[in-house]
């Protein structure tokens, strides 16, 4: 199942990651295997990231930024992170959504909804776990995670709440990007 999720792509990897935290639903051997999905997501090429930046911001990365690292610091199912520097000289970290991820997730969620419905109709033993409800919650969660504007607002609110703490560092959000 883990290998199938890897083959099916980001939405299913994210689902496997979620399932890896649910010992109330799955036996331990499945949890252990799905935990491998936490750090096994291949990076998107720099060319694809450049196209995504052009699509999202309307300008090529080379025109917008003084530096943008070739290799990502991290790659995850929804986005990946690159080091860089703004033209103002500030060192930053860029979080870039995978190209086409929103459309991919929506399509995959439709497939999962259909599967959940079929399972509920034909496998009475799973009714206790409410597969369609799980898919609905998964959809809410993954769409929330893909909304970088919401994430930026959360970061700013968190920053405001911990402004006086010398022990907490919260990165600055650059709204233009």
């Amino acid at each position: 199942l883990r290998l199938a999720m890897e083959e099916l792509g980001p939405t299913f990897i994210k689902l496997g990651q979620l399932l890896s935290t649910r010992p109330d639903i799955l036996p331990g051997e499945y949890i252990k295997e799905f935990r491998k999905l936490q750090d096994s997501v291949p990076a998107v090429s720099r060319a694809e990231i450049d196209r995504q930046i052009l699509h999202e911001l309307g300008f090529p990365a080379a025109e917008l930024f003084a530096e943008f690292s070739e290799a990502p610091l991290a790659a995850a199912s929804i986005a990946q992170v690159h080091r860089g520097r703004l033209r103002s000289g500030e060192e930053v970290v860029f979080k870039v959504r995978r190209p086409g991820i929103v459309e991919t997730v929506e399509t995959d969620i439709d497939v999962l909804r259909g599967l959940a419905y079929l399972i509920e109709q034909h496998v009475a033993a799973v009714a206790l776990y409410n597969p369609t409800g799980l898919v609905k919650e998964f959809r809410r969660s993954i769409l929330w995670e893909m909304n970088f504007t919401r994430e930026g607002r959360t970061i700013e609110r968190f920053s405001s709440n911990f402004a006086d703490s010398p022990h907490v560092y919260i990165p600055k959000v650059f709204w233009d990007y």
Side-chain angles (χ1 to χ4, degrees), residues 81-82 84 86 88-95 148-149 151-160 168-177:
V81 177
H82 291 260
L86 299 178
S88 65
E90 293 175 276
E91 289 189 27
V92 295
V93 174
F94 301 102
K95 184 175 180 181
F148 288 1
T149 300
E151 182 177 353
R153 287 188 196 118
T154 301
I155 289 169
E156 286 190 337
R157 189 170 51 249
F158 195 81
S159 182
S160 175
V168 179
Y169 173 79
I170 293 95
K172 179 181 175 182
V173 176
F174 293 87
W175 287 106
D176 290 342
Y177 307 108

Side-chain angles (χ1 to χ4, degrees), residues 12-43:
F12 291 90
I13 290 169
K14 186 53 90 178
L15 177 61
Q17 291 170 346
L18 175 71
L19 290 172
S20 78
T21 66
R22 297 297 305 266
D24 58 318
I25 295 174
L26 294 174
E29 59 269 19
Y30 285 85
I31 300 292
K32 183 179 177 184
E33 194 64 26
F34 288 156
R35 281 189 183 138
K36 294 176 183 177
L37 294 169
Q38 299 291 347
D39 57 3
S40 65
V41 181

Side-chain angles (χ1 to χ4, degrees), residues 2-174:
R2 175 186 56 83
L3 293 174
M5 287 178 171
E6 287 177 351
E7 281 292 316
L8 289 168
T11 308
F12 291 90
I13 290 169
K14 186 53 90 178
L15 177 61
Q17 291 170 346
L18 175 71
L19 290 172
S20 78
T21 66
R22 297 297 305 266
D24 58 318
I25 295 174
L26 294 174
E29 59 269 19
Y30 285 85
I31 300 292
K32 183 179 177 184
E33 194 64 26
F34 288 156
R35 281 189 183 138
K36 294 176 183 177
L37 294 169
Q38 299 291 347
D39 57 3
S40 65
V41 181
V44 173
S45 73
R46 173 60 195 270
E48 289 178 274
I49 290 298
D50 284 344
R51 282 192 295 277
Q52 182 69 3
I53 290 171
L54 178 61
H55 173 74
E56 293 282 338
L57 301 178
F59 295 94
E63 287 182 28
L64 292 170
F65 314 120
E67 291 177 22
F68 194 100
S69 68
E70 186 70 28
L73 289 172
S77 56
I78 302 297
Q80 64 189 45
V81 177
H82 291 260
R83 285 186 196 272
R85 193 165 41 86
L86 299 178
R87 296 237 175 253
S88 65
E90 293 175 276
E91 289 189 27
V92 295
V93 174
F94 301 102
K95 184 175 180 181
V96 183
R97 267 195 309 238
R98 289 178 170 271
I101 190 67
V102 175
E103 297 81 6
T104 298
V105 166
E106 286 291 357
T107 300
D108 290 347
I109 293 293
D110 285 343
V111 170
L112 288 170
R113 266 194 215 123
L115 289 172
Y117 176 77
L118 285 172
I119 289 170
E120 285 181 348
Q121 298 305 307
H122 300 288
V123 185
V126 301
L128 170 68
Y129 298 108
N130 185 12
T132 55
L134 288 171
V135 170
K136 183 178 178 181
E137 178 59 24
F138 174 64
R139 179 182 185 278
R140 186 198 64 77
S141 172
I142 199 168
L143 291 178
W144 183 279
E145 187 174 338
M146 289 190 302
N147 185 328
F148 288 1
T149 300
R150 183 178 290 138
E151 182 177 353
R153 287 188 196 118
T154 301
I155 289 169
E156 286 190 337
R157 189 170 51 249
F158 195 81
S159 182
S160 175
N161 290 342
F162 287 92
D164 296 329
S165 174
H167 306 291
V168 179
Y169 173 79
I170 293 95
K172 179 181 175 182
V173 176
F174 293 87

